[in-house]
Amino acid sequence: MIKQSGYQSPKEEPAHKKVSPAIREAAAKLALSHDPVPADLFDATASAIAAELANTKDKFNRPNQIRRFYDELVTWQQRIKDDEDAFKKHEAFIRMMNAKVAYAKGRDLVDANFEHWFGAGIKATTSARALKHFQLHFEAVLGFLKGLRG
């Protein structure tokens, strides 16, 4: 009889805990502070992200959960509008949304793709103008997601 060592082969990580290459690529393109914004930000990039977010098990990335994050982002954008001083004053609270997404991921409400994309969007939000662009990009993602899911 052969005695086994303590080595165990690594288990395959569940799909909802992995960030897809498509999300990594799309998130890397979030140039929200550019003037003008990239032409595909509200079209091809948003569509690619929506396709990846829709490609999950039913319990992840549910519309009502994602909508909560969108609604909070809209609230911040409406509060700040185009005021750079207001953005700087509230920037820490906007960035705190990443912690809320991490909490939702920990409760299996969103997957790693949503967390990665949202985190990249918040990171790229460096001004009131960029916040508006992220809010519009998120709106486009929601539109494509609704189209895919019906």
Side-chain angles (χ1 to χ4, degrees):
M1 186 161 144
I2 299 175
K3 188 175 181 180
Q4 291 202 357
S5 67
Y7 176 78
Q8 293 179 340
S9 62
K11 292 181 181 178
E12 182 69 23
E13 201 170 18
H16 71 277
K17 293 193 176 197
K18 293 185 208 173
V19 179
S20 74
I23 285 286
R24 286 189 194 281
E25 181 182 330
K29 293 180 182 179
L30 293 181
L32 304 172
S33 294
H34 288 170
D35 191 22
V37 294
D40 64 347
L41 182 66
F42 308 128
D43 186 26
T45 303
S47 178
I49 290 166
E52 289 298 312
L53 295 180
N55 191 24
T56 61
K57 292 181 181 177
D58 289 337
K59 77 177 200 172
F60 298 103
N61 303 332
R62 288 187 175 156
N64 61 338
Q65 185 64 43
I66 291 177
R67 186 67 189 213
R68 287 180 186 170
F69 293 113
Y70 174 73
D71 289 345
E72 184 173 351
L73 193 68
V74 167
T75 299
W76 284 115
Q77 198 283 318
Q78 289 173 342
R79 185 177 294 175
I80 292 168
K81 299 194 189 308
D82 293 327
D83 185 350
E84 291 300 327
D85 290 332
F87 175 81
K88 291 298 178 196
K89 181 179 174 184
H90 295 99
E91 185 175 9
F93 299 103
I94 294 166
R95 297 202 180 286
M96 191 174 105
M97 290 180 68
N98 280 325
K100 294 176 182 182
V101 170
Y103 179 78
K105 183 177 175 253
R107 294 189 63 216
D108 286 339
L109 299 172
V110 298
D111 68 358
N113 285 328
F114 181 81
E115 181 183 42
H116 183 80
W117 164 73
F118 189 86
I122 292 294
K123 184 178 180 181
T125 300
T126 56
S127 66
R129 179 182 174 92
L131 177 62
K132 177 65 176 173
H133 292 159
F134 184 47
Q135 182 254 313
L136 291 170
H137 171 69
F138 200 152
E139 183 178 337
V141 169
L142 284 177
F144 283 115
L145 196 54
K146 181 69 173 172
L148 290 168
R149 289 184 171 167

